Amino acid sequence: MADKMQSIISLCKRRGFVFPGSEIYGGLANTWDFGPLGVELVNNVKQLWWKRFVKDREDIVGISSAILMNPKVWEASGHLKGFSDPLVECKKCHVRLRADHLRENYSNKCPSCSGKEFTEERQFNLMFKTHIGPVEDESSVVYLRPETAQGMFVNFENVENTTRLKLPFGIAQIGKAFRNEITPGNFIFRVLEFEQMEIEYFITDADWEKYFSQWQNEMEKWLVEVLGIKKENFAIREHAKEELSHYSKKTVDFEYKYPFGQKELYGLAYRTDFDLKAHKLSLEGMVPHVIEPTFGIERTFLALLCDAYSEEEDRVVLKLKPSLAPYKVAAFPLLANKPELVKKAREVFELLKGEFPTIWDDRGNIGKRYYSQDEIGTPFCLTIDFDTLQDNTVTLRDRDTMKQERVKTSDLKNILQEKLKQ
Ligand code: GAP
């Protein structure tokens, strides 16, 4: 299973999905950059999410709030006091570890030097600090937000006043969050800087169980119907009391079976009226309660690749849903050294590229080009050959079945539109 992870990481680097951050300077541990294909996949995920949960719904509106917020936000929200992990230090090699990880994953033995003696547990706040202005003192401290959620809570009244939405209603946002994680790792699974897609869904407290289960259902449908993640590859687990965040009365995690173990992909929390109360916000004299479905982009990306990655005899295929694939179509001339074929193939390419994300390839032989597209998940390939010059038909090849059919260029747009609806 570790091999599968290595294969995915190397595919990501080789084909331009994910690069190590600041690589030419030796990298910066646990930072990663999305490359040309990665950013397309990320954007497809974000667009599908925004359409499903904001545009297609009357009861949810979006915002995009600032990353830097008044530090009083984090005092009121409890993050200054409560957003910390227990940390220990190995007395021999001084590596720092999360106390719970040391117990659960390493049987109280230092993973770096096998030492068995550690310092006392100390709470370590996960928020990154920076300063506004030229003077770096306590009065200029600000934090990089560790969750996008607070931007939605502090704008609760602004949104309600401008939209006049009535309970139940939600505020959604997609944006960066930052955490000074003690034990980041596993590629992009636990990183210092990541993106969240979050919804704060405001309700009356009597309804919380009903909406909690509705949202659990919605999240499951998103995974299966929109992302195409196989049902057997994820599980839902309720948090035990001692695991709950400081604001939550009930949380369930959607856990994906990553090659390195079953770990949190998404969370769904009943945050009660904790946040609005803390910020002294209300609606017509009452404080709404909130259900919070939260989705991490990096973990979605990794789950998608793990689910879609498949090695078949002599090829590697990313079986991404067409709606998620970075390119939908690839167009090739059969031979790159025949100008009449190249000219015709360019015509077909131009015809399609305004309609669907289409890639051109004229390197190597046709077989290699097919495999190269399979590896990045392109659902359809088109080959323009000598027959095309005679009868205006092209070969359309399906990524998953590898079946080929001959279709008229004049029908291409309609045929592809139909096939890409899947
Ligand atoms: N507003 C609630 C909240 O932030 P969380 O469970 O701490 O809850 C939400 O984070 C989601 O953000 C997680 O389910 C995960 O997908 C993602 N996430 C959290 N920490 C992360 C990290 N260090 N690296 C990558 N993704 C992370």
Side-chain angles (χ1 to χ4, degrees), residues 147 179 181 189 191 194 196 198 264-265 292 294 296:
E147 59 169 6
R179 293 184 191 176
E181 298 278 3
F189 176 79
V191 280
F194 52 97
Q196 295 183 320
E198 295 197 297
E264 179 186 346
L265 167 61
E292 179 194 65
T294 174

Side-chain angles (χ1 to χ4, degrees), residues 83 146-149 179 181 188-196 198 200 245 247 253 264-267 269 271 292 294-300:
F83 194 60
E147 59 169 6
T148 65
R179 293 184 191 176
E181 298 278 3
I188 56 172
F189 176 79
R190 194 183 303 282
V191 280
L192 308 176
E193 174 184 340
F194 52 97
E195 274 191 289
Q196 295 183 320
E198 295 197 297
E200 305 306 327
S245 308
Y247 50 71
D253 279 349
E264 179 186 346
L265 167 61
Y266 300 150
R271 285 179 87 128
E292 179 194 65
T294 174
F295 310 68
I297 295 226
E298 283 70 9
R299 292 187 189 179
T300 305

Side-chain angles (χ1 to χ4, degrees), residues 157-378:
E157 284 184 353
N158 283 335
V159 172
E160 203 281 322
N161 285 339
T162 47
T163 61
R164 295 277 156 211
L165 283 164
K166 297 278 165 255
L167 293 183
F169 75 88
I171 309 179
Q173 120 159 278
I174 300 179
K176 288 262 186 187
F178 304 80
R179 293 184 191 176
N180 199 356
E181 298 278 3
I182 299 157
T183 45
N186 280 326
F187 192 34
I188 56 172
F189 176 79
R190 194 183 303 282
V191 280
L192 308 176
E193 174 184 340
F194 52 97
E195 274 191 289
Q196 295 183 320
M197 306 184 286
E198 295 197 297
I199 299 163
E200 305 306 327
Y201 198 73
F202 300 99
I203 54 168
T204 51
D205 62 340
D207 289 336
W208 79 266
E209 279 164 309
K210 177 175 110 189
Y211 287 112
F212 195 97
S213 82
Q214 265 185 23
W215 275 107
Q216 186 167 319
N217 210 12
E218 280 295 325
M219 292 175 85
E220 200 166 339
K221 284 204 298 204
W222 158 260
L223 281 170
V224 177
E225 292 171 16
V226 184
L227 298 185
I229 301 259
K230 296 175 200 84
K231 233 177 160 166
E232 64 271 23
N233 287 347
F234 70 87
I236 297 170
R237 185 183 69 83
E238 184 169 346
H239 279 204
K241 257 207 167 73
E242 55 282 8
E243 265 182 280
L244 290 172
S245 308
H246 60 276
Y247 50 71
S248 174
K249 205 160 167 188
K250 176 176 175 170
T251 295
V252 295
D253 279 349
F254 283 75
E255 296 184 330
Y256 184 78
K257 294 171 188 167
Y258 293 103
F260 45 85
Q262 183 172 315
K263 307 241 180 250
E264 179 186 346
L265 167 61
Y266 300 150
L268 172 64
Y270 170 41
R271 285 179 87 128
T272 67
D273 55 358
F274 179 91
D275 300 272
L276 290 190
K277 232 183 193 161
H279 297 306
K280 302 191 172 52
L281 296 163
S282 60
L283 178 69
E284 290 160 4
M286 59 89 81
V287 183
H289 282 230
V290 72
I291 304 288
E292 179 194 65
T294 174
F295 310 68
I297 295 226
E298 283 70 9
R299 292 187 189 179
T300 305
F301 188 101
L302 194 51
L304 281 172
L305 290 194
C306 293
D307 231 68
Y309 184 90
S310 139
E311 288 179 5
E312 290 174 4
E313 290 179 16
D314 51 357
R315 67 175 191 150
V316 168
V317 200
L318 270 193
K319 293 190 170 169
L320 290 170
K321 282 191 78 166
S323 53
L324 292 160
Y327 291 111
K328 316 299 177 201
V329 190
F332 327 131
L334 179 68
L335 299 168
N337 58 0
K338 297 282 175 214
E340 64 276 30
L341 281 186
V342 174
K343 182 165 171 273
K344 188 74 193 164
R346 287 300 301 181
E347 276 171 33
V348 175
F349 173 68
E350 295 293 336
L351 174 83
L352 298 177
K353 94 176 185 334
E355 208 78 20
F356 321 97
T358 306
I359 184 172
W360 169 265
D361 193 0
D362 58 9
R363 298 159 310 163
N365 63 44
I366 288 291
K368 279 198 182 136
R369 292 183 214 157
Y370 282 150
Y371 288 167
S372 164
Q373 293 304 318
D374 290 345
E375 208 182 38
I376 62 170
T378 309

